[in-house]
Amino acid sequence: MGASLSLVPLIDYFARREFLAAGLRPHSVTLPYPDGGSTGTCTVHYWAPAGEPRLPPLLLIHGFGPRATWQWRCQVGPLSRQFHVIVPDLLGFGGSSWDSPSAPPPSEATQAAALAALLDSVEGLKGKRVAVAGTSYGGFVAYWLARAAGPRRVGPVVIASSDLLKTAADDRAFLKRAGEGWSGAHELLLPAEPAAMRRLMEMAVHRPPPAMMTPDFVLRDFIQKLFMDNREQLTHLFKGITVGTDKFQVTPLSQEVLIVWGEHDQLFPVDKAYSIQRSLDGNARVEIIKKTGHAPQLEDPARFNNIMLDFLMAADPAWTNGSSL
């Protein structure tokens, strides 16, 4: 009987219920694929309230791993009281995909371009400034979107648990922290076996659940639903990451920036938050959330939400009033 038990639909149900209770509804739109030439297309699935925004727009960008609804489920309720929240699935995740087999793997720049096109397609958002928050891989995309679109299109920016300065040396240090037996970072970040999934959880969460609560058959189910059903696209996408290469150079942003980090993050150590702050000319605000790991928005959502709300509510009045520069 245990082998047939699946927690994924149950977690999906509760996460979707949080989104629906916050007034968000699922949508999808077909757009030109940014790197697909004249014929390539992509489908972007996203959650947003129906109708034109009556509140300042806020884009929440997820990272690798669990679905967008899982990663932002603790934020959509509190944030939707003050903002018109849009939560997309990045290309290759959830309900978003691309139909351009000859195109290169989607990079952070590709993802950002697809999100910019999405924002232009959403009713009432074309030309409006949008605040952007991204966690982990989503932080790479948020940074790229803010830089490419500029302050006339993107307002305040939140970078959460996202090492914009990641290098090959950081990957080696990550594998050293993970212990022996791993051939590369991809083996943990795209787990195919329960041992890899368990080690990833231990490194991502400050207080991971005890092993007795996560037997192998449960972990295999999570792997199947989250990493295997769409593995070809996820692997393709992983190869397209440009952070740590000469294609991703961090330069200061014109926008106001908040950097949020978990004190005990083992994927991207907390000292990288201050390195990123220095790379942004020291203008970004840094907030470290104690007793959390790589996902502070889930481990201490009350603190995370308060930090985000304080930052966004104090941001440029031109954005909070829905105006353009």
Side-chain angles (χ1 to χ4, degrees):
M1 183 173 66
S4 65
L5 175 66
S6 176
L7 295 178
V8 173
L10 186 63
I11 298 174
D12 265 341
Y13 168 77
F14 283 108
R16 290 173 64 89
R17 193 170 73 169
E18 293 287 348
F19 273 60
L20 293 169
L24 278 65
R25 299 294 182 268
H27 310 268
S28 63
V29 60
T30 299
L31 302 164
Y33 183 66
D35 291 337
S38 60
T39 59
T41 62
C42 60
T43 298
V44 180
H45 176 271
Y46 66 100
W47 289 79
E52 295 196 13
R54 297 186 299 273
L55 296 169
L58 169 62
L59 183 72
L60 300 179
I61 309 175
H62 67 85
F64 258 90
R67 297 159 187 178
T69 48
W70 295 22
Q71 295 189 37
W72 293 115
R73 67 183 185 275
C74 298
Q75 281 63 58
V76 288
L79 294 178
S80 65
R81 298 178 194 127
Q82 303 290 339
F83 305 104
H84 184 92
V85 176
I86 307 111
V87 187
D89 289 330
L90 291 171
L91 298 179
F93 297 89
S96 296
S97 61
W98 69 92
D99 181 20
S100 186
S102 61
S107 65
E108 301 88 340
T110 306
Q111 299 278 15
L115 293 184
L118 166 68
L119 293 174
D120 283 342
S121 75
V122 174
E123 182 181 7
L125 281 187
K126 189 174 180 63
K128 285 195 174 182
R129 296 183 77 206
V130 178
V132 176
T135 180
S136 195
Y137 174 76
F140 305 159
V141 179
Y143 170 81
W144 198 279
L145 177 60
R147 194 172 79 175
R152 295 185 66 85
R153 190 69 174 97
V154 174
V157 180
V158 179
I159 304 294
S161 310
S162 183
D163 186 3
L164 304 178
L165 302 174
K166 186 177 74 68
T167 65
D170 290 315
D171 286 341
R172 291 192 294 271
F174 166 71
L175 288 174
K176 186 175 181 180
R177 291 191 299 274
E180 297 181 358
W182 312 108
S183 61
H186 68 281
E187 196 173 350
L188 287 163
L189 298 177
L190 292 175
E193 299 294 337
M197 183 74 178
R198 182 171 286 108
R199 187 63 184 125
L200 177 61
M201 292 171 60
E202 290 169 351
M203 297 185 71
V205 180
H206 177 48
R207 291 192 179 93
M212 64 180 297
M213 294 181 61
T214 53
D216 282 1
F217 77 86
V218 170
L219 296 181
R220 285 194 187 95
D221 179 59
F222 275 87
I223 290 168
Q224 181 63 45
K225 301 293 197 307
L226 301 180
F227 298 103
M228 300 303 286
D229 288 349
N230 205 23
R231 194 170 188 83
E232 184 177 351
Q233 280 204 335
L234 289 177
T235 302
H236 200 54
L237 190 151
F238 196 87
K239 293 177 180 177
I241 292 176
T242 61
V243 173
T245 72
D246 57 5
K247 295 180 180 179
F248 195 107
Q249 297 294 318
V250 176
T251 57
L253 295 174
S254 302
Q255 297 92 335
E256 298 168 89
V257 180
L258 168 67
I259 300 169
V260 187
W261 225 272
E263 180 184 27
H264 301 282
D265 192 340
Q266 294 189 66
L267 272 64
F268 299 145
V270 68
D271 63 293
K272 297 307 290 283
Y274 297 102
S275 298
I276 294 167
Q277 183 189 40
R278 289 190 293 271
S279 75
L280 298 176
D281 284 351
N283 294 325
R285 169 180 160 189
V286 174
E287 292 281 353
I288 307 301
I289 301 183
K290 295 182 179 297
K291 299 180 181 179
T292 65
H294 189 62
Q297 78 272 20
L298 299 178
E299 293 185 78
D300 192 349
R303 178 69 178 143
F304 185 94
N305 294 344
N306 285 338
I307 289 171
M308 269 196 68
L309 283 167
D310 287 347
F311 169 72
L312 293 173
M313 296 300 289
D316 178 5
W319 168 71
T320 53
N321 291 332
S323 305
S324 298
L325 287 176

